[in-house]
Amino acid sequence: MRVRIEPFDVEIEVPAGATVLEAALDAGIDYPFACQQGQCGSCKSILIRGRVDMGTTYNPLVLSDAERRRGAILACQSHPLEDCVVAVVEIGGVVAHPQRHLRCTVESTEARADGIAIVRLAVHSGGPMTFAAGQSAELSAPGRAPLTAWMANLPDDDTLEFHLGPQAGQWCAGMDVAVTGPAGDAYLHEEHLGPMIGVAEGVGLSGLLGIFGQALACGMRQPMWLIVAATAYCPERLQALAAGAANLRIVAVPEPAHLAEQIAATVGDARGTRAYIAASTATRAAVRQSLIERGMASDCILEHLLPGA
Amino acid sequence: MMSQTMIDNPDAAHGRKSAPFRMRTVEPGPDPADSFGLFTSAAVYDPYPFYARLRERDPVHWSERAGAWLVTRYREVFDLQANSELSVDRVETLYSYLPQVRRERFSFVIEHYTRWLLYRDDAYHDRLKLLFMKAMTPRAVELMKPRIAARVAEVLDTLAGREHFDAYLEFAARIPVLVMLDLLGLPSADEQRLRHWSDRCSNFLFQPVNPDREAMAEEQRRILDEQQDYFMAHITARRARPGADMISAMVHAEVSGERLTDLEILATCNMMATAGGGTSRSAISLALMNLQRFPDQLARLVAEPERINLAAEEFLRFDAPTQRGIRTARADFTLGGKTIRRGDILHIMIGAANHDPAAFADPERLDIARNPNRHATLGHGVHYCLGASLARMELRLAVAEFLRRYPDYAIDAPDVEFMDRTASRRLTGLPVVVRQA
C-alpha cells in the first residue's frame, strides 16, 4: 500500500505485514516513536484518508476511543488496508496538526454578560479537526469579516465551542460557518512537570478553559492557578472546572488592571512554572513582567493575543 | 573476528609515537556445558565471538551457571521482547544476589528494587508509567535539547587546554548524571554523589563475574540509608514548593486516586539515576571507542555530522550498553525447539541479537549509515526502555559535539578495559589524546 506522510511530503510503500511506522523508519523518515508497540503514544498520528487495521493490543490510556473517532492512530500499530494519507502531529517537539477546512452550522448561541456570546458549532464536512488545547481557528460566515477565536471545547469533543466578544456581531442558530484551523503555538504542554498558571481577560478565558480542562482530563496533578478578570460571563464554567480538581485554584479579580498584582499575591515563586496568558496587549505586558520578576523563564510564558485588542 | 577492524592510526596521534588502538582477538571456549566460556573475563572484554558460537550451536541454550535460558537469535529475542506474557519481576533473581547466610537481613534491599517501575509487571503505577512516558516523549525530550546541549558544552569546556584526558570518566560518564540532576531538579553540586550511587547500584544489579555478596549487600544497605537522608529532604521541599522537575511531578502524581509514597518516589529517583546514568555513559564512550576501530566511519561522520541520528542507532546496535534483559516465563511454551517451563528464567541476549547475521548484513562492521537498523537495544513492547528518547538525544548531542571539537582524537592506550560483568558493557576508562584548538 502507498502511504503519504504529511507534512514530510513523502510517499512510502508499506509492504504487506508492515506498519506505517516501520515503513517510515525504513524509509529514513524522522518519525517520532519510542516503544513501537502501542504502549507510549509517541507515534500518535492523524489518518487523513484511507483505512488502517490497528488491532486491539495497544494501550487505551495513550489512545482513547474518542481520539480514534477523531482519526488519531498509532503509527506503530497501523497496517494500511488501502492507500492512505497520514499526518505526523509532532515534529521537532512542535505540534503540527493538519489544517482543516470545515463546513459547520451554528448549533446554539447563548448571549452572556458584556456582550459575549457562547457559540457552538456542529461540523458537517471536512472534519474532524484535531488540535491541541489552546489553539485557535478562523471563523468566517457570509457577509462578515473573518475572525479568529480559540476552541473552548476539549480536543475530544464533537462540538466546537467559541466565545465571541461584542465586536464579532450577532450569531444565530442555523447559520453556516466555515472554520479553518487549527493555528497558534500557545497550546497546552502536557509534558510540563511543574506548576501551571493561566491569566485571562474577557473572552481570553475560552482558550484557557480548553487548556486547563484538557490538563485535568489528561491527569496533570501539579498545582495550577487560574487568575481571571471580568469573566462574569461564564461563572458556571469556572465552577465546573474547579469541581473535583483539588490542585486547581481559581481567583477572580474585578478588573484586568488587577491581574498583575493578583499574581504577586498568589504566586510567590514562579521558577519552574509555565504560564498561559490570554489578555490584551497592555495586560499581557504587565503580567509578563510580574511573572519574570518572580523567577519565571521567559520561554515558559505562552501568550494568546486577544482578538480586537 | 577482529582482524579486519584493527587499525594503525599514526596520524591521529599528532606525530607522537603512540601505540595504535587494537582490541585483542578472543576465542570462545569449546564446552557447551560451560556456555562456551561466556562467563569468563575474555567474554567480558569481547562477548561477540561467544554469542556467535551460542547462536550457531545452541540458540536457546540452558546455562547451569546462570540458571537460565540464554536466547541469542534476533528472531526469538525480538519476539520475546514484545511478549507481555513474560514477567520482568526479578525478586527471585535479586534475592539470589544476597549472601546465603541469613539472607533476610537484606530483604529491604530487594523491597527497594521491587519498587522500580522497570521490574514491575502489574498495573502498579500505570499512571506513574504514563507520567514517565509524558516526561520522556520525543516532544518532551526535544524541549530538553538546549539544556542537554548546554551540559555537553559545559563538560567539554572543562577539558579545554588539555591534550590528554579520559573521555569516559571526564566526559561520557558526566553527561547523563548532569542531565538526570536537571530532570530531577537536583543541584549540580550533587553530581559526584549521584554518580557514585548510580555506579554502585548498577554494579549490584548487573553483578560482577565473581561477586563478594556480603560486601555488596552491605554497600547497598549504606547507599539506601544515604539516599533516604538525601531524597527525603528534597521530596519534602518539593511538596512545599514544586518546580518543573520529576520529583515535583511524582510528589503530585496520583495513581488510581492515591499519591505515591515517599519510598516509591525515592526508588524511582534511584532507578532514573541508575538505569539512565549507567547505560547512557556506556553508549557515549563505546561510540567513541568503536569509531576508532573503524576510521573510515569516523572520517565520514566528522565530514557529515548531519548523519548523527542514524549513526547513533548504529552505535546502539553495535555495542549495546545493556547486553541482556531478564524475564521469567509465566506459562509453558516452546522456543527454538526447547520447552520452556513456567517459572524458568530467560536471558534475552540483546548484544547477540544485534550481531545476528540473519538480521544485519555484515554485523561485525560498524556502518553509520546502516538503514534499516531495527536493533534490540532499547527493547520494544510493554517493557521498552522508558528513557529511549532521552538516551538517543544524549548520545547524538554528546558524540556530535565531541567530534566537532576533537575530530582527530585518538585512544591514548594500547588497549581498553571493561568492568567485570557480562550483563552490561562498561569501560573502566577511555584515555584519549586530542589536538586542542
Side-chain angles (χ1 to χ4, degrees):
Chain A
M1 301 296 172
R2 304 291 294 173
V3 174
R4 181 170 182 75
I5 315 263
E6 292 187 350
F8 288 103
D9 199 24
V10 289
E11 192 169 301
I12 57 171
E13 178 68 26
V14 181
T19 64
V20 171
L21 178 68
E22 285 167 349
L25 293 177
D26 288 354
I29 296 171
D30 196 12
Y31 213 105
F33 77 100
C35 78
Q36 304 170 66
Q37 218 179 19
Q39 301 300 315
C40 73
S42 294
C43 64
K44 198 182 287 181
S45 310
I46 305 299
L47 181 64
I48 295 178
R49 201 171 64 231
R51 290 179 306 131
V52 298
D53 176 8
M54 283 254 309
T56 55
T57 58
Y58 64 86
N59 182 351
L61 289 172
V62 302
L63 183 73
S64 66
D65 288 346
E67 285 178 299
R68 279 207 73 178
R69 279 199 303 278
R70 308 191 67 73
I73 58 169
L74 298 175
C76 72
Q77 297 298 290
S78 295
H79 299 272
L81 296 170
E82 58 191 29
D83 290 352
C84 295
V85 178
V86 168
V88 177
V89 292
E90 271 179 34
I91 296 170
V94 176
V95 304
H97 286 276
Q99 285 294 294
R100 291 285 191 175
H101 301 277
L102 314 177
R103 307 302 306 181
C104 306
T105 306
V106 176
E107 200 174 72
S108 67
T109 69
E110 288 177 51
R112 295 294 183 102
D114 303 325
I116 294 169
I118 295 179
V119 176
R120 292 189 185 83
L121 304 181
V123 180
H124 289 309
S125 64
M129 178 170 71
T130 62
F131 62 94
Q135 287 196 295
S136 60
E138 188 181 81
L139 278 56
S140 47
R144 294 162 185 260
L147 60 93
T148 298
W150 299 289
M151 275 70 83
N153 56 293
L154 302 190
D156 281 349
D157 294 341
D158 290 330
T159 304
L160 297 174
E161 179 180 308
F162 298 93
H163 299 181
L164 305 179
Q167 77 284 359
Q170 288 288 315
W171 295 69
C172 316
M175 252 171 71
D176 289 331
V177 181
V179 175
T180 303
D185 53 11
Y187 51 78
L188 172 67
H189 282 256
E190 290 184 23
E191 74 285 353
H192 178 64
L193 301 172
M196 280 170 58
I197 180 168
V199 182
E201 172 185 351
V203 293
L205 178 62
S206 57
L208 297 200
L209 285 172
I211 288 176
F212 282 76
Q214 179 65 14
L216 294 169
C218 76
M220 294 174 78
R221 291 290 175 268
Q222 55 263 67
M224 301 177 186
W225 299 277
L226 184 52
I227 303 177
V228 296
T231 50
Y233 83 90
C234 63
E236 83 288 358
R237 301 297 293 273
L238 289 171
Q239 281 164 12
L241 192 63
N247 55 323
L248 172 64
R249 187 176 157 211
I250 298 178
V251 183
V253 298
E255 297 291 334
H258 297 153
L259 283 168
E261 64 190 69
Q262 186 60 48
I263 287 170
T266 310
V267 185
D269 183 346
R271 281 174 299 170
T273 302
R274 183 173 282 275
Y276 302 89
I277 310 171
S280 62
T281 307
T283 306
R284 279 188 293 127
V287 165
R288 191 180 172 85
Q289 187 186 346
S290 179
L291 289 168
I292 288 174
E293 280 169 5
R294 269 152 199 86
M296 185 174 289
S298 58
D299 62 354
C300 280
I301 303 178
L302 299 177
E303 299 183 59
H304 293 94
L305 181 61
L306 199 63
Chain B
M1 180 196 81
M2 291 295 169
S3 58
Q4 78 265 34
T5 68
M6 291 180 187
I7 55 163
D8 286 326
N9 197 4
D11 293 342
H14 322 311
R16 288 181 190 79
K17 186 166 170 43
S18 166
F21 172 58
R22 294 168 185 274
M23 284 193 71
R24 299 190 303 273
T25 303
V26 296
E27 289 294 337
D31 185 3
D34 183 38
S35 306
F36 304 107
L38 184 65
F39 299 94
T40 60
S41 57
V44 167
Y45 180 79
D46 181 6
Y48 299 104
F50 298 81
Y51 294 154
R53 183 146 304 173
L54 276 169
R55 210 170 41 229
E56 288 154 13
R57 305 259 178 98
D58 195 15
V60 179
H61 167 81
W62 174 257
S63 160
E64 281 298 335
R65 162 77 185 250
W69 295 98
L70 310 184
V71 184
T72 45
R73 277 196 304 226
Y74 180 85
R75 191 174 61 223
E76 280 105 6
V77 163
F78 191 86
D79 288 347
L80 289 177
Q81 281 185 326
N83 187 339
S84 55
E85 290 307 308
L86 295 180
S87 167
V88 288
D89 191 323
R90 288 186 64 189
V91 172
E92 279 188 39
T93 314
L94 289 171
Y95 265 110
S96 75
Y97 297 167
L98 295 177
Q100 301 291 320
V101 182
R102 292 199 300 118
R103 185 167 274 187
E104 64 285 357
R105 288 176 294 156
F106 296 104
S107 55
F108 66 95
V109 172
I110 309 309
E111 284 161 20
H112 167 83
Y113 287 108
T114 57
R115 293 187 194 102
W116 282 29
L117 261 182
L118 69 133
Y119 296 144
R120 303 288 305 210
D121 292 320
D122 51 19
Y124 163 86
H125 300 160
D126 251 3
R127 290 280 161 192
L128 178 58
K129 206 165 170 183
L130 273 187
L131 180 72
F132 252 87
M133 288 173 186
K134 266 188 203 166
M136 292 287 164
T137 57
R139 171 167 147 197
V141 170
E142 191 70 33
L143 295 172
M144 290 162 63
K145 186 176 179 178
R147 185 76 191 127
I148 300 172
R151 286 299 203 179
V152 170
E154 176 191 317
V155 172
L156 286 172
D157 286 348
T158 66
L159 301 169
R162 288 174 55 190
E163 292 192 343
H164 299 266
F165 58 85
D166 193 307
Y168 175 68
L169 296 172
E170 296 179 273
F171 173 61
R174 294 192 62 196
I175 305 297
V177 181
L178 292 169
V179 170
M180 208 50 78
L181 286 169
D182 289 341
L183 191 57
L184 289 168
L186 300 171
S188 300
D190 294 333
E191 180 189 348
Q192 288 306 328
R193 189 196 311 240
L194 207 73
R195 181 162 153 188
H196 171 71
W197 288 338
S198 150
D199 276 346
R200 301 316 300 166
C201 291
S202 71
N203 191 55
F204 176 72
L205 292 172
F206 285 116
Q207 291 282 299
V209 172
N210 292 304
D212 176 344
R213 298 200 193 284
E214 185 72 32
M216 286 178 71
E218 268 304 332
E219 182 184 48
Q220 285 294 302
R221 179 211 299 275
R222 206 164 49 243
I223 287 173
L224 293 181
D225 282 351
E226 288 168 8
Q227 288 193 339
Q228 282 228 32
D229 291 344
Y230 177 80
F231 282 115
M232 289 310 169
H234 283 286
I235 291 168
T236 306
R238 288 315 187 294
R239 199 158 269 142
R241 209 208 77 70
D245 56 73
M246 275 304 285
I247 294 182
S248 299
M250 287 190 283
V251 162
H252 293 95
E254 284 175 15
V255 179
S256 314
E258 286 178 28
R259 291 279 163 94
L260 300 175
T261 68
D262 288 355
L263 285 176
E264 285 168 342
I265 296 172
L266 184 154
T268 310
C269 291
N270 193 24
M271 179 194 79
M272 290 171 70
T274 303
T279 48
S280 278
R281 76 181 68 157
S282 276
I284 296 165
S285 52
L286 291 169
L288 295 178
M289 182 195 84
N290 287 319
L291 280 170
Q292 289 291 328
R293 295 165 58 193
F294 297 89
D296 60 325
Q297 299 299 300
L298 172 60
R300 191 171 180 196
L301 188 53
V302 166
E304 301 167 48
E306 67 280 5
R307 291 187 177 276
I308 188 64
N309 290 7
L310 272 185
E313 297 308 307
E314 178 67 345
F315 300 145
L316 290 169
R317 179 197 73 84
F318 191 78
D319 236 350
T322 298
Q323 290 279 306
R324 64 182 83 176
I326 300 178
R327 304 281 189 275
T328 307
R330 289 203 262 209
D332 295 355
F333 62 95
T334 304
L335 185 72
K338 305 283 176 72
T339 302
I340 313 294
R341 300 282 179 206
R342 182 167 180 269
D344 282 359
I345 293 172
L346 295 106
H347 288 194
I348 297 178
M349 306 298 280
I350 295 162
N354 283 345
H355 285 247
D356 185 345
F360 301 97
D362 200 3
E364 305 308 332
R365 175 175 164 70
L366 183 83
D367 174 4
I368 62 159
R370 190 183 293 275
N371 190 21
N373 191 350
R374 289 190 209 151
H375 57 74
T377 303
L378 297 170
H380 58 117
V382 179
H383 298 294
Y384 81 104
C385 170
L386 284 170
S389 298
L390 182 61
R392 287 191 161 96
M393 182 65 81
E394 288 178 355
L395 179 60
R396 292 170 180 182
L397 292 176
V399 172
E401 182 61 12
F402 187 93
L403 295 185
R404 194 185 70 77
R405 295 198 190 198
Y406 304 122
D408 50 7
Y409 77 102
I411 294 177
D412 191 22
D415 204 349
V416 289
E417 280 183 38
F418 289 84
M419 288 184 200
D420 184 23
R421 36 174 113 142
T422 61
S424 66
R425 297 276 284 163
R426 298 275 189 283
L427 288 164
T428 58
L430 187 65
V432 294
V433 54
V434 302
R435 194 200 310 268
Q436 290 287 349

